[in-house]
Every structure is written in structure tokens, then in C-alpha cells.
């Protein structure tokens, strides 16, 4: 379906403008929550654009930089030595002014003033809403899904997810060591405000006794009773993974201690899961998505989000992408419960 739309766009644009008037100047920004792998995406955007003879500009601090004009030209060397680094060299920010019509118009005017015809926005759903607003004012915008939570519906994968899960897994492994030494219950809260994808995968990878996410109702009494049954069979320590969206980890630990008589500690892993060197998967997916985004802009295509579907890169209309709902893998959750002891 999307391919048909793409062809029409290219044809119309070429007929209207002619080959010599194709996109020459683009910009890239990172917005919203940062995610490991954003740098790899920026690098791919910059290097792909330059290879196609475009000028490419970096915008600092997301939409804030677009409004203040914190924009600078980038070359091949601007993105040297960043593919393996977490965070984002372009910095990121949240920008309330950009949520207003005046703010979006001001950003559009800034792009026009600088001759920037296309913009790559690396971020989450919120950033894509901003990109949709800017697209409605005639700017060619392409969104790249960058968020550790993997909670963007149109895509199977978002940049940063793999790194965040691996970070969480390594930290839970460390906690398990000390939990084991002390015969404890470790309640570990992992990231995932809007979705339990990090929690369920980390829980499986760490052999958690229980996984609590917002998508699946839980019963604290049942969890405590099962722990006591397992204790009677010889189990000495327990790891419970809680998704950030559920929260109350400290209370959950207290409740479990109260009901089981087993010492329980809560640990909230927090923002450490946002940092660190991106994994191979994040570097490669980010590079592919960055490259794909520039290929769309080169063809005069805007108002699209890059997505990974069944291991293929595709693109969706931003509004359509925002309207989609991502299912939670409840089967995976149930499987984890079956295997856990
Ligand atoms: P994320 O992109 O990670 O979901 P946010 O939801 O904080 O992060 O969004 C990042 C930025 O995108 C916001 O600070 C704001 O500038 C812009 N944005 C978010 N929602 C909208 C909206 N509805 N309209 C215009 N801009 C928006």
C-alpha cells in the first residue's frame, strides 16, 4: 500500500520540479527521551545525505533548536567516532512551545529562512506528533522511531530497545547474586512507562519468578502464596520484575515481605537503562533507518515514519502510524509464567 503512495509522490514531484530541483538541504534532530543508537541514526542520515550531494544540518535539542536556530552544518567528520556511543551528540529536549500552532509556524519559517527542505526527526510518538504538525505546514518530515520502550505501534522495533533490555538484564543478574546470598526477594523496576515490553523480555532473560506489567492483571496474594509453595520445595531467592508503568515497587516488596516473611528489597533501575554503548542490533537498525529516511526525502517524500515490519523497512503516513495500537505479547508473558519457578 505504502509503495503506491510513494510512487505517486515521486512522479508528481519530478514532473512538477524536474530532476535538478530535487531536495538539496536537509536537517536532522533528536527529540523526546534519548535512546542508545540515536547517534548511529544521525551518522547514517548525515553520511547518506552527503553521498547524495545534499547539504545536511544538525539541530540541537530537538524542536527547541529549530525554534532558536541552534542549527549547524554537518560533514562526514561531524559524525566520526559516534556510532558506538550512547546518548545523542545533537542533545535532546522537550519543547512546550512547539506544541502550539505559533511554535510550529515559527519553526517552519526558520527552516524556510535557512533553505532547509527536509527534516529527519528521531524520537518517539510525541516527536512524531510534532513532525506531523510541521508536515501540515508544508515541511517534508520523516520520523525514525527512537525510544527504549519499543512502544511505537507501527514498527516491530525501536532504536534503543535492545540496549536497554541488555542493560536491565545485566543489572538484574548482579542483583540476583546478592539476592541469592541473602535468601531475598528482589523486586526490580525496569523502564517502560507505557508498555511492559522491556519487563517481559528482561524477566524471561533473567529467569524471574514473576513479571508484573500494566497489561496483565496481577494478584499480590497469589504471587506471595506461590512463593511460599516454591520455598517449601527448596527455592531460596526470588526475582520479581516490575514495569515502570505499574510502579509501586517499594510497596510491592513490602507487601510480599509481609505475606511471605521473606526479606524483600526493591530496586528501581531508572535512567541507567537509557545510557551505555548501543548493542550491535541498535547500531545496525539505526543505520538502516537513517539511510532509508534520507532515501525518502531524496524522492521528495515527507510526512512518513520509518518502520521495521517483518524484518523489512517500510514507511507509514505519520497520522496513520500514530493511530495504530501495539499489542502486548501476552502469550510471551504467559510462557514466562509457565517456565518460572
Ligand atoms: P517522545 O518523542 O519520546 O514521545 P515527548 O512526548 O516528550 O517525547 O515529545 C517530544 C517533543 O515533541 C515535545 O516536547 C514537543 O515539543 C513535541 N510534541 C509532543 N507532542 C506534540 C503535539 N501533540 N504537537 C506538537 N508537538 C508535540
Amino acid at each position: 500500500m505504502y509503495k503506491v503512495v510513494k510512487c505517486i509522490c515521486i512522479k508528481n514531484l519530478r514532473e512538477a520540479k524536474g530532476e535538478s530541483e530535487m531536495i538539496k538541504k536537509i536537517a536532522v534532530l533528536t527529540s523526546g527521551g534519548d535512546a542508545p543508537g540515536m547517534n548511529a541514526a544521525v551518522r547514517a542520515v548525515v553520511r547518506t545525505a552527503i553521498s547524495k550531494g545534499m547539504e545536511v544540518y544538525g539541530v540541537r535539542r530537538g524542536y527547541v533548536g529549530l525554534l532558536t536556530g541552534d542549527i549547524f552544518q554537518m560533514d562526514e567528520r561531524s559524525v566520526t567516532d559516534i556510532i558506538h556511543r550512547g546518548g545523542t551528540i545533537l542533545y535532546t529536549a522537550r519543547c512546550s512551545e512547539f506544541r502550539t500552532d505559533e511554535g510550529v509556524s515559527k519553526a517552519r519559517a526558520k527552516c524556510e529562512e535557512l533553505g532547509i527542505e527536509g527534516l529527519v526527526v528521531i524520537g518517539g510518538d510525541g516527536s512524531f506528533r510534532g513532525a506531523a504538525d510541521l508536515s501540515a505546514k508544508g515541511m517534508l518530515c520523516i520520523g525514525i522511531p527512537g525510544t527504549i520502550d519499543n512502544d511505537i505501534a507501527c514498527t516491530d522495533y525501536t532504536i534503543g530497545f535492545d540496549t536497554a533490555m541488555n542493560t536491565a538484564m545485566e543489572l538484574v543478574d548482579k542483583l540476583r547474586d546478592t539476592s541469592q546470598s541473602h535468601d531475598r526477594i528482589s523486586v526490580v523496576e525496569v523502564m517502560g512507562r507505557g508498555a511492559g515490553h522491556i519487563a517481559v523480555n528482561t524477566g524471561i532473560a533473567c529467569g524471574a519468578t514473576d513479571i508484573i506489567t500494566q497489561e496483565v492483571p496481577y494478584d499480590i496474594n497469589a504471587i506471595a502464596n506461590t512463593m511460599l509453595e516454591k520455598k517449601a520445595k527448596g527455592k531460596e531467592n526470588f526475582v520479581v520484575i516490575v514495569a515502570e508503568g505499574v510502579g509501586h515497587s517499594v510497596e510491592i516488596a513490602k507487601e510480599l515481605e509481609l505475606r511471605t516473611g521473606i526479606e524483600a528489597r526493591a530496586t528501581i533501575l531508572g535512567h541507567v537503562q537509557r545510557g551505555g554503548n548501543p548493542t550491535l542490533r541498535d547500531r545496525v537498525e539505526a543505520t538502516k533507518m537513517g539511510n532509508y529516511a534520507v532515501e525518502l526525502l531524496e524522492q521528495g517524500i515527507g510526512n512518513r515514519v520509518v518502520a521495521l515490519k517483518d524484518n523489512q523497512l517500510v514507511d507509514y503516513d505519520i497520522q496513520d502510524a500514530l493511530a495504530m495500537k501495539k499489542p502486548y505479547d501476552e502469550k510471551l508473558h504467559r510462557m514466562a509464567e509457565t517456565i518460572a519457578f
Side-chain angles (χ1 to χ4, degrees), residues 1 15 24 49-50 53 55 85 96 115 131 154 156 184 199 207-208 224 273 275-276 278 290 303 310 329 339:
M1 183 64 182
E15 278 171 6
K24 287 280 174 9
I50 290 170
E55 278 182 29
R85 291 184 200 278
S96 50
C154 69
D156 295 340
R184 260 185 205 139
Q273 294 159 96
N303 196 33
D310 303 324
D329 196 341
I339 288 168

Side-chain angles (χ1 to χ4, degrees), residues 129-193:
R129 281 193 188 93
D133 291 350
L134 198 53
S135 298
K137 300 225 179 267
M139 185 75 190
L140 293 177
C141 295
I142 303 291
I144 293 181
T147 162
I148 61 165
D149 291 343
N150 202 23
D151 59 352
I152 297 178
C154 69
T155 183
D156 295 340
Y157 193 77
T158 62
I159 297 167
F161 183 48
D162 192 54
T163 307
M165 287 191 299
N166 276 287
T167 302
M169 181 187 73
E170 284 168 22
L171 294 170
V172 175
D173 284 349
K174 290 184 204 291
L175 276 166
R176 178 189 278 284
D177 290 345
T178 168
S179 167
Q180 194 155 24
S181 313
H182 290 270
D183 293 339
R184 260 185 205 139
I185 298 171
S186 268
V187 176
V188 192
E189 185 174 314
V190 301
M191 284 267 181
R193 211 175 346 134

